[in-house]
Structure formats: structure tokens, C-alpha cells
Amino acid sequence: MYKHKIYKCIGLVGICLAVASCKVPAFMQSAENKSVPESYNDNRDTTNMAALEWRRFFTDPNLVNLIDTALKHNQELSITLQEVEIAKNDIKFKQGALLPTVGAKLGLGVEKVGRYTSQGAGDASTEIAPGKETPDPLMDYTAAVYANWEVDIWKKLRNSKKAAISRYLSTVEGKNFVLTNLIAEVANSYYELLALDNQLEIVKQNIQLQKDALEIVKIQKQATRVTELAVQKFKAEVLNSQSLEFDILQKIKEGENKINFLLGRFPQEIPRDHGNFLNLLPPAVRTGIPSQLLANRPDIKQAELELAAAKLDVKVAKAEFYPSLDISAAFGFQAFNPSYLVKSPESMLYSLAGDLAGPLINRNGIKAEFKNANLRQLQAMYNYERTILNGYLEVSTQMSNIDNLEKSFRLKSDQVDALNKSIDISNDLFKSARADYLEVLMTQRDALESKLELIETKKNQLSAVTNIYQELGGGWK
């Protein structure tokens, strides 16, 4: 009769657990959108410059050496590599939860119970051996091994491990994304440094040209052909150009230190070719088709893996509503005297138990975590879609930028040629008193500005091609 009541209670508990586990809250999920346009500006050519290794994409040996040093010593990249290792260790942690936990225990204790208690009275009347009473106080010596295991009947632990694997792969893609950004940043900083070198050379040439013009004006003042105002105007122009020279020198120092920071080293000179910057030709642009972004861009692949992990998190949170099966076991020896530990089977202990437990009431915490897991999945999905959209728009914008910079460079080159000729013409006219000194000053100023702008446009051209190489997913392979 008593056993029948126990079985009845166990059955009732099982029914309650089953009913409780069936009431899992539902949550509407939205399907992610992976669609992208079929082409960039109706170009269906699948040749993609992102497939080029960065050592083949960049041909300047000085730049290649700088990038190689940055990949070895950049601190941000080193930090990211540690995140990859942390994620890898998290997989091992999740794997451990799938396996039984086995441990060993050595115990020593003492117990003194009251004489006028049921246990005390029983111990006092019990003989361990003929004529030998139970010791008081009673020592307790234990040597045993034990094991605990949660049976993964709802795949909660396996899904948790899969989520950890997805997040590990996501950190690998995050590392690749840092690689592409680092390579592009070093290259752009290097091109900026080359541009500043050439701007400095042009400013120095302009200073010499202005000094020569100043000497001519001084001679003409002595001949009363111009006034002191003209002399002071030319002198002010020389001083302005000299000030600009120091501004550029400071920018060069800042550019060198920026590259040194990316390379993880203290300030030192950056080796570079001081030749004609304007003759550098950027690599030919081959964008391929937009769908290749899904496989080439590390940030898109990272977002996709984060989405996969978030989906698995929802399954893990859902499994919390179901009963869990825990199995525990122990085997060893226990006695009140160490000499009795080796006596078997009297001192032997063993146990085997299985527990089926699940939430019945007060499940608001589990529901809240389940809803949060769903919301985080939606966040990951929107982030994935946004990353795809951002990648396509970046490439599209950069393609337009490259086309416009090419046209701008041609026009500015023609402008510089025209202003160089106008300088010679204005000087000749000024010497023959057929042009005012202000015309000479303005011509020289316009020519200087146009030359500096031409160099800036060339730098922007090189940077734009580097940027589109990065935005297409190049550099990490």
C-alpha cells in the first residue's frame, strides 16, 4: 500500500512536469534576407580583385614591408587573436558539460550525538564486535569516487556547444576583418605620407620662385616702377609659404608616428620612395558581382555566424522549459576506524540515483530569458541584413568615387599645366610693365593651390582603390 502511494506520487509529478513542459511560449521569427542586386551598374564580370593576395595587390616594396611588420606587431590585432583563443576555450568548456563529472573524495569527520536520542541510544546498545561497543564520539573516514551526469535529452547542451563553435568561427572572421582594416589603414597612411612629401617639395619650389620674384620687385622699386606696397606683398607671400612648409613638416611627423603606431613600434623614420608621386598608377579595379560579398567580406560572414549562434541560443533557452534528467553515482569505502576501511563488504558504499526535474511554477525568469533569446536573434538578423546592405553601398559609393576622381585628376592636371604657363606669362608681362604685381601674386598662389590639390587628388585615387579592395573583402586571404 505504501509503495503504491509512492508510485502514484511519482506518476503525478511526471504528469505535472509533462504538462508544464508543453506550455512553452511561442515567438514569431522573421526570415533573414540575403538578397543583393545581381550586379554593379549592369556589369556581370565575376573577376574580383578581392581574390588577390595583398602582397600581389600592393607592388611598392616599402609598403609591403610596412604591412608585413604591422601584421606581426600590431597590438589591436594581437588583442583580437586573444579573443579567438578565448572563444576556442569556450568550446572546450561547453564540451565538458556534455560529459559526466567524475571526482574523488577523501573525508574525515567526527560526530557526537546525545545519549538520550534515538541514534545515541541505538549506538550505545550496538556492539561493533562481541564485547566491543560503538565508539563515542564516532569518527567518520571516507574514500570514494563520485560522478554526476546531465543527460542531454533535449539537445540543450549540444546546441550550447554548437553556439560556442559558431561564436568561435565568428571571432576568426572578426580577426580577418581587423586584418583587412589594418592593411588598408597602413596603405592609406603610407600614401598620405608620400603625398605630403611631394606637397613639401612643391612648397619649397614655390618659396624659391617667390623669393626670386621678391628680388625682382625690390629692383623695380629702386627703379621707382613699383612701390613699397608691392615689396611687402611679395614678402608676405614668401612668409606665408614658409609657414605652410612647417605645417606640412608637422603633418609628415604625425603621419610617420601614425604608421609607427600601427606597426607597434616607437617613432622612427618610415622608408619610402620620394620620387614623382603623380606618376603612380593605382591597380585596375575589378569588383566582380555583389553576391561574392557574402563569401569574401569577413564582417558579413561574422554577422552570419553570430546569427547562427543566436538561433541556437533560442533552442537552448526553449529547452529550459523541459524536464532535465540528472544521474549521480558514488562508490567507495566508509568506516569509523581507518583499519576498517579495507574490510569488504561491510565498509563498502555505493549509490546510483536518477532525478527528473523541471519547472512547475514561477517560470517567469525562464520565459523572460526565452523572450530575450528571441529578441537577440532578431537583433542578429537585422545586423546581418544591415552588414550586407552596408557592404554593397560601400562598394557602390567607392566605384562612383573612383570614376569621379579619375575625371577630376585629368581636369586638375590640365589646370596645373595652364597655371604653370600663366606664371611664365605673368612674370614676362610684369617685367615689361604690362601686368600688375597683384596679377603675378594671384597667379603664383593659384598655381600653388592647384598643384597641392592635384597631389591630394592622386592620394585620394590611390586610397579609393585601396578602400574598394578592402570593401570587396580583400586582404585577409
Side-chain angles (χ1 to χ4, degrees):
M1 183 70 179
Y2 181 70
K3 289 184 178 179
H4 178 70
K5 290 182 178 179
I6 292 177
Y7 294 149
K8 195 172 182 180
C9 290
I10 294 175
L12 182 61
V13 171
I15 292 172
C16 291
L17 291 175
V19 172
S21 63
C22 289
K23 296 181 179 179
V24 177
F27 198 89
M28 184 64 67
Q29 303 293 334
S30 299
E32 64 269 17
N33 181 15
K34 295 185 179 181
S35 63
V36 290
E38 294 182 358
S39 64
Y40 303 106
N41 301 328
D42 296 327
N43 182 13
R44 303 299 177 92
D45 184 7
T46 58
T47 305
N48 197 316
M49 62 195 299
L52 281 175
E53 187 198 3
W54 65 266
R55 292 179 185 274
R56 294 175 56 196
F57 181 79
F58 298 106
T59 57
D60 188 327
N62 291 319
L63 176 56
V64 170
N65 290 333
L66 291 174
I67 294 175
D68 191 54
T69 303
L71 296 182
K72 294 177 182 177
H73 302 292
N74 179 264
Q75 284 89 354
E76 183 181 356
L77 181 58
S78 298
I79 292 171
T80 305
L81 291 175
Q82 304 315 307
E83 293 176 356
V84 173
E85 291 301 315
I86 291 171
K88 184 187 295 185
N89 289 330
D90 194 42
I91 296 176
K92 297 179 181 178
F93 176 77
K94 300 294 184 182
Q95 173 67 28
L98 284 165
L99 303 175
T101 300
V102 181
K105 179 174 69 174
L106 291 176
L108 172 62
V110 63
E111 183 180 24
K112 174 67 175 73
V113 299
R115 174 68 179 78
Y116 301 111
T117 62
S118 59
Q119 182 179 346
D123 290 345
S125 61
T126 302
E127 291 183 347
I128 301 300
K132 191 172 184 180
E133 296 180 352
T134 302
D136 187 23
L138 191 67
M139 299 299 292
D140 183 19
Y141 299 93
T142 306
V145 293
Y146 62 90
N148 295 290
W149 182 36
E150 180 181 352
V151 183
D152 193 24
I153 53 179
W154 309 113
K155 297 184 179 181
K156 177 179 69 175
L157 301 179
R158 277 172 285 181
N159 285 330
S160 181
K161 177 190 172 184
K162 289 179 181 178
I165 293 174
S166 292
R167 289 197 166 89
Y168 162 70
L169 296 175
S170 172
T171 60
V172 172
E173 296 301 334
K175 180 263 297 182
N176 293 335
F177 188 58
V178 172
L179 276 176
T180 62
N181 290 340
L182 177 60
I183 291 171
E185 192 169 2
V186 172
N188 287 335
S189 299
Y190 180 76
Y191 291 141
E192 183 176 0
L193 202 54
L194 294 182
L196 289 170
D197 289 339
N198 280 263
Q199 287 179 340
L200 179 63
E201 184 63 29
I202 286 177
V203 168
K204 287 181 178 179
Q205 294 174 2
N206 195 70
I207 289 173
Q208 187 59 49
L209 181 65
Q210 291 172 338
K211 285 182 177 180
D212 293 341
L214 176 60
E215 294 302 320
I216 294 173
V217 171
K218 287 180 179 179
I219 294 174
Q220 290 187 343
K221 176 181 176 293
Q222 293 175 356
T224 67
R225 292 180 56 186
V226 296
T227 64
E228 180 65 20
L229 177 61
V231 174
Q232 295 302 321
K233 281 284 188 180
F234 273 88
K235 184 178 180 180
E237 203 68 20
V238 172
L239 294 173
N240 180 66
S241 296
Q242 289 175 334
S243 175
L244 180 59
E245 177 184 2
F246 289 108
D247 289 341
I248 295 176
L249 285 172
Q250 177 60 27
K251 290 180 180 179
I252 289 174
K253 175 58 67 176
E254 292 173 359
E256 288 182 329
N257 285 341
K258 180 180 179 181
I259 293 177
N260 283 317
F261 177 76
L262 293 173
L263 271 56
R265 65 189 188 187
F266 288 99
Q268 56 185 275
E269 185 179 357
I270 302 298
R272 56 191 185 273
D273 185 7
H274 296 274
N276 192 351
F277 178 69
L278 295 176
N279 289 335
L280 291 179
L281 295 176
V285 176
R286 298 288 186 270
T287 59
I289 56 177
S291 60
Q292 292 173 326
L293 291 175
L294 303 179
N296 291 337
R297 278 189 62 132
D299 57 334
I300 293 179
K301 296 165 69 177
Q302 182 182 19
E304 184 178 12
L305 290 165
E306 287 290 346
L307 176 58
K311 288 181 178 180
L312 291 168
D313 287 341
V314 174
K315 294 181 179 180
V316 173
K318 185 176 181 180
E320 293 291 342
F321 290 97
Y322 303 135
S324 61
L325 176 60
D326 294 319
I327 297 176
S328 60
F331 176 81
F333 299 91
Q334 186 175 24
F336 63 83
N337 190 308
S339 62
Y340 291 162
L341 280 175
V342 295
K343 289 186 177 182
S344 179
E346 289 86 355
S347 61
M348 184 185 297
L349 70 86
Y350 59 85
S351 66
L352 179 63
D355 297 318
L356 188 65
L360 291 178
I361 58 176
N362 194 22
R363 302 193 305 167
N364 289 336
I366 302 176
K367 290 180 180 178
E369 179 56 32
F370 177 71
K371 291 180 180 178
N372 284 341
N374 276 282
L375 294 174
R376 284 190 288 268
Q377 178 188 359
L378 287 175
Q379 285 182 325
M381 182 195 67
Y382 294 138
N383 180 61
Y384 177 53
E385 293 177 349
R386 182 184 65 174
T387 307
I388 293 176
L389 176 62
N390 179 64
Y392 178 85
L393 293 178
E394 282 183 345
V395 174
S396 177
T397 301
Q398 208 61 255
M399 288 174 62
S400 175
N401 187 31
I402 291 172
D403 182 56
N404 289 325
L405 283 171
E406 183 180 356
K407 297 174 182 177
S408 177
F409 183 80
R410 287 199 299 266
L411 293 174
K412 288 185 181 298
S413 296
D414 294 340
Q415 181 187 11
V416 169
D417 292 339
L419 287 172
N420 283 335
K421 293 177 182 178
S422 66
I423 289 177
D424 295 334
I425 296 172
S426 64
N427 287 335
D428 292 338
L429 292 175
F430 179 66
K431 291 176 184 178
S432 60
R434 296 171 61 189
D436 186 73
Y437 69 88
L438 288 177
E439 293 179 294
V440 178
L441 284 174
M442 293 303 299
T443 302
Q444 291 179 352
R445 185 179 300 174
D446 292 342
L448 175 62
E449 291 179 357
S450 65
K451 291 176 182 178
L452 297 180
E453 289 177 359
L454 182 64
I455 293 176
E456 188 71 17
T457 303
K458 171 58 73 172
K459 183 205 76 173
N460 290 338
Q461 274 189 300
L462 295 170
S463 295
V465 175
T466 299
N467 290 338
I468 200 170
Y469 175 67
Q470 171 205 355
E471 289 157 4
L472 289 170
W476 63 269
K477 296 182 180 179

